Amino acid sequence: MVREANIKQATAEKQLKEAHGKIDVLQAEVAALKTLVLSTSLTSPTKELQSSGKTPFKKGHARNKSMSSAMGVSNQDVAMMQPIVKDCKEADLALYNEFRSWKDDPPMDRACPFLDKIYKEDIFPFLTFSKSELASAVLEAVENNTLGIEPVGLQPVRFVKASAVECGGPKKCALSGQSKICKHRIKLGDSSNYYYISPFCRYRITSVCNFFTYI
């Protein structure tokens, strides 16, 4: 027992030492990245780095000398990265103009170019499930503001309806058809059926609901 305890203690000390070494390396990399980001925001970062002749890493780290070569970042690379960052900030003028046109007289028609783009790129992918017919009914209920979502009660189920397979259950999602713990269920319009949904499906549905509420 004493021998096992000594072995475990030695292993723990070794792991702790390795962890401290990794922390030192990560701190060096973070410091290097901060310096790189700051240098790209200057007007002439290449000249400043050449004139100073100092490494951007803090002293005391084991990988100070080899870090820059390992990361493969040179002054030329920094200069080449600058236009890429600027390009990322460029706005999509076509989408912005579509939004401006929609905002002047905001319709809720799918034929509107602005909403049509959102449907294709966001709403349809978010509400695409293996049970396609039910997914279409969910989207229609969301558009008509007739969708209800409520948490599943903790009381035991006393009877099972004939449509229980189609509606899923506490351990089967009606939208994905997968065996999942379902903490919520949805109700479509005036229908008396409740459909059990998994947390993942609920998140996707509520995200679309929040979008429609916002616009």
Side-chain angles (χ1 to χ4, degrees):
M1 291 175 62
V2 173
R3 184 171 177 276
E4 281 187 21
N6 290 335
I7 292 175
K8 290 181 180 180
Q9 182 179 356
T11 304
E13 291 177 353
K14 182 180 178 181
Q15 292 176 347
L16 180 62
K17 186 176 180 181
E18 292 177 353
H20 282 306
K22 291 180 180 179
I23 291 175
D24 290 339
V25 172
L26 290 174
Q27 288 178 343
E29 293 178 352
V30 169
L33 291 173
K34 286 183 178 179
T35 305
L36 180 61
V37 171
L38 291 175
S39 65
T40 56
S41 63
L42 299 175
T43 54
S44 56
T46 54
K47 293 181 180 179
E48 197 164 309
L49 287 172
Q50 291 174 355
S51 61
S52 63
K54 296 181 180 179
T55 175
F57 301 94
K58 293 183 179 180
K59 295 182 179 180
H61 295 291
R63 293 177 61 184
N64 281 358
K65 296 181 180 180
S66 61
M67 183 65 68
S68 58
S69 60
M71 293 178 64
V73 177
S74 62
N75 293 338
Q76 185 176 1
D77 294 331
V78 172
M80 293 175 63
M81 288 169 60
Q82 286 182 323
I84 298 177
V85 175
K86 292 180 181 179
D87 290 343
C88 292
K89 295 181 179 179
E90 184 178 351
D92 187 342
L93 295 180
L95 180 59
Y96 179 68
N97 291 331
E98 290 176 358
F99 167 72
R100 289 288 300 270
S101 300
W102 173 84
K103 189 178 179 182
D104 293 339
D105 183 20
M108 295 302 295
D109 185 7
R110 291 190 191 183
C112 170
F114 175 67
L115 289 183
D116 180 63
K117 188 178 185 69
I118 293 177
Y119 266 92
K120 291 179 180 178
E121 297 184 0
D122 297 290
I123 295 177
F124 287 149
F126 248 59
L127 295 183
T128 298
F129 302 101
S130 58
K131 305 297 182 179
S132 56
E133 292 184 6
L134 179 58
S136 299
V138 169
L139 175 57
E140 183 179 354
V142 171
E143 292 173 327
N144 297 330
N145 198 24
T146 58
L147 176 78
I149 303 179
E150 63 181 31
V152 176
L154 299 178
Q155 66 274 12
V157 180
R158 300 185 180 180
F159 62 92
V160 179
K161 296 186 297 184
S163 58
V165 176
E166 297 178 0
C167 298
K171 293 186 179 181
K172 185 174 183 180
C173 179
L175 280 169
S176 65
Q178 298 179 356
S179 297
K180 300 289 184 180
I181 299 298
C182 301
K183 299 181 179 180
H184 291 81
R185 61 183 186 176
I186 58 175
K187 186 173 179 290
L188 309 179
D190 298 330
S191 173
S192 59
N193 291 334
Y194 284 91
Y195 300 90
Y196 291 83
I197 57 174
S198 64
F200 177 65
C201 293
R202 174 187 175 273
Y203 165 74
R204 292 165 67 172
I205 294 173
T206 54
S207 297
V208 177
C209 290
N210 290 337
F211 169 75
F212 275 107
T213 302
Y214 176 74
I215 63 170

